[in-house]
Amino acid sequence: MKSISDFLKNHDIRPSYQRMRIFEYVQSKRNHPTIDMIYSSLIQEIPSLSKTTIYNTLRLFVSAGIVKPVTIEDHEIRYDADTVPHIHFKCIKCGKIEDIYLKNDWNDLASMVPEGYVVNEEHLYLRGLCPDCRDA
Amino acid sequence: MKSISDFLKNHDIRPSYQRMRIFEYVQSKRNHPTIDMIYSSLIQEIPSLSKTTIYNTLRLFVSAGIVKPVTIEDHEIRYDADTVPHIHFKCIKCGKIEDIYLKNDWNDLASMVPEGYVVNEEHLYLRGLCPDCRDA
DNA sequence: AGGCAATTGTGTAATCCTTACAATTTTTAT
DNA sequence: ATAAAAATTGTAAGGATTACACAATTGCCT
């Protein structure tokens, strides 16, 4: 918990209890949770927690760059605290969204983009069957 | 307009006037429009048009596979009638979403995915500056 | 430590987007 | 032309997100 507090401070975010717990949840679960998933889980331990706080806090985290919004589809917004470049895989059967890491890099992408475009971010996501659902 | 009518019929969609106009809009503008963009434009020529019809029609088009939902971010859903594989580029300055086509294929992607995953769809979008905004 | 100012959290109400539904209109087939 | 089916429309309902005002907490200063 101390490390989370320091991490937030390093990003000019005051480490209130709610903020620490919310960040801890997103970072540790790695479930790409929705607002509701965070709320449903934390309300059990922080009975006073308000959903507005979750919205405010996530907005703060996103603008500070320590959490990324993941917009895969279904117009649900999900959140991800992993800052290492990775791609998302959504299983069309169980619905789970996982992080996967490609075997090789694909950093030759910049050379494949038409002239004149400046690329700041690359987002890749795949849809298909995860290993569990493939075998079932 | 005849070709649109035939196209819809080929996909088992009855070519009502509204459906033809909505499909024509999405296909010709190539603006990756939101529901509102479609409505605001067509209401000027079809005063009786209901937004519910836009929702219903787009849902029909998506389930028939002739239009793809584009979920880039901002939890806005946009629609795209281009069925040729391509990637999306969103300019962070002007906000426009464009289709771009990579110079080479990147079909070595499947070989880079971890074992056990079955990939059905690949979605790639890039964010950065479009040529116009880069020069401005 | 104590107290004050500033920030953060909470809950209700308002807003916006999307969908449900029933009635009307249009289309299709006989 | 008529009846049945389907599509469209408008209103109302639902759900998610945000605005806002007040309460609680935190940080800073002495």
Side-chain angles (χ1 to χ4, degrees):
Chain A
M1 215 58 171
K2 182 64 168 54
S3 66
I4 292 179
S5 170
D6 290 343
F7 182 80
L8 294 181
K9 275 190 230 167
N10 288 342
H11 290 83
D12 292 323
I13 295 173
R14 290 167 110 159
S16 74
Y17 180 65
Q18 286 86 342
R19 288 173 177 175
M20 287 194 292
R21 293 302 306 273
I22 292 171
F23 187 79
E24 180 196 33
Y25 180 91
V26 176
Q27 191 183 52
S28 66
K29 294 273 181 172
R30 299 200 167 280
N31 258 343
H32 306 84
T34 61
I35 295 281
D36 262 336
M37 288 163 71
I38 301 171
Y39 179 76
S40 308
S41 174
L42 292 181
I43 191 67
Q44 299 178 31
E45 301 173 44
I46 314 172
S48 73
L49 186 64
S50 164
K51 205 178 268 189
T52 301
T53 299
I54 316 263
Y55 278 106
N56 290 339
T57 302
L58 266 298
R59 192 171 342 136
L60 180 67
F61 287 171
V62 169
S63 68
I66 63 176
V67 159
K68 304 279 183 207
V70 179
T71 51
I72 297 292
E73 57 173 21
D74 300 336
H75 63 96
E76 276 183 335
I77 304 188
R78 292 163 170 269
Y79 295 93
D80 187 355
D82 193 348
T83 53
V84 178
H86 63 277
I87 70 179
H88 291 122
F89 185 95
K90 173 156 184 173
C91 180
I92 56 178
K93 196 168 170 191
C94 68
K96 191 168 52 176
I97 296 177
E98 297 179 65
D99 295 334
I100 67 176
Y101 300 87
L102 294 185
K103 292 180 193 167
N104 313 313
D105 271 347
W106 44 306
N107 43 16
D108 53 343
L109 189 77
S111 66
M112 294 164 65
V113 170
E115 302 297 329
Y117 289 88
V118 180
V119 176
N120 284 332
E121 293 175 32
E122 305 168 357
H123 298 262
L124 175 61
Y125 74 90
L126 308 178
R127 286 165 55 80
L129 291 174
C130 69
D132 289 347
C133 290
R134 183 199 57 165
D135 297 337
Chain B
M1 215 57 171
K2 182 65 168 53
S3 65
I4 292 179
S5 169
D6 289 343
F7 182 80
L8 294 181
K9 276 190 229 167
N10 288 342
H11 290 84
D12 292 323
I13 295 174
R14 292 172 129 168
S16 74
Y17 181 66
Q18 286 86 342
R19 287 173 177 176
M20 287 194 292
R21 295 302 305 273
I22 292 171
F23 187 79
E24 180 196 32
Y25 179 92
V26 176
Q27 191 182 51
S28 65
K29 295 271 182 173
R30 298 199 166 279
N31 258 343
H32 306 84
T34 61
I35 295 280
D36 261 335
M37 288 163 70
I38 302 170
Y39 179 75
S40 308
S41 174
L42 292 181
I43 191 67
Q44 299 178 30
E45 301 172 45
I46 313 170
S48 72
L49 186 63
S50 164
K51 205 178 269 189
T52 301
T53 299
I54 316 264
Y55 279 104
N56 290 339
T57 303
L58 267 298
R59 191 170 345 134
L60 181 66
F61 287 172
V62 169
S63 68
I66 63 176
V67 159
K68 303 280 183 206
V70 179
T71 50
I72 296 292
E73 56 173 23
D74 301 335
H75 63 97
E76 278 182 334
I77 303 188
R78 291 162 171 271
Y79 295 92
D80 187 355
D82 192 348
T83 53
V84 178
H86 63 277
I87 70 178
H88 291 120
F89 185 95
K90 173 157 185 172
C91 180
I92 56 178
K93 197 168 169 192
C94 68
K96 190 169 54 177
I97 296 177
E98 297 178 65
D99 294 336
I100 67 177
Y101 300 87
L102 294 184
K103 292 180 192 169
N104 313 312
D105 271 347
W106 42 307
N107 43 16
D108 52 344
L109 189 78
S111 67
M112 294 164 65
V113 170
E115 303 298 329
Y117 289 87
V118 180
V119 176
N120 284 331
E121 294 175 32
E122 305 168 357
H123 298 263
L124 175 61
Y125 74 91
L126 308 177
R127 287 164 53 81
L129 292 174
C130 69
D132 289 347
C133 289
R134 183 198 59 167
D135 297 337

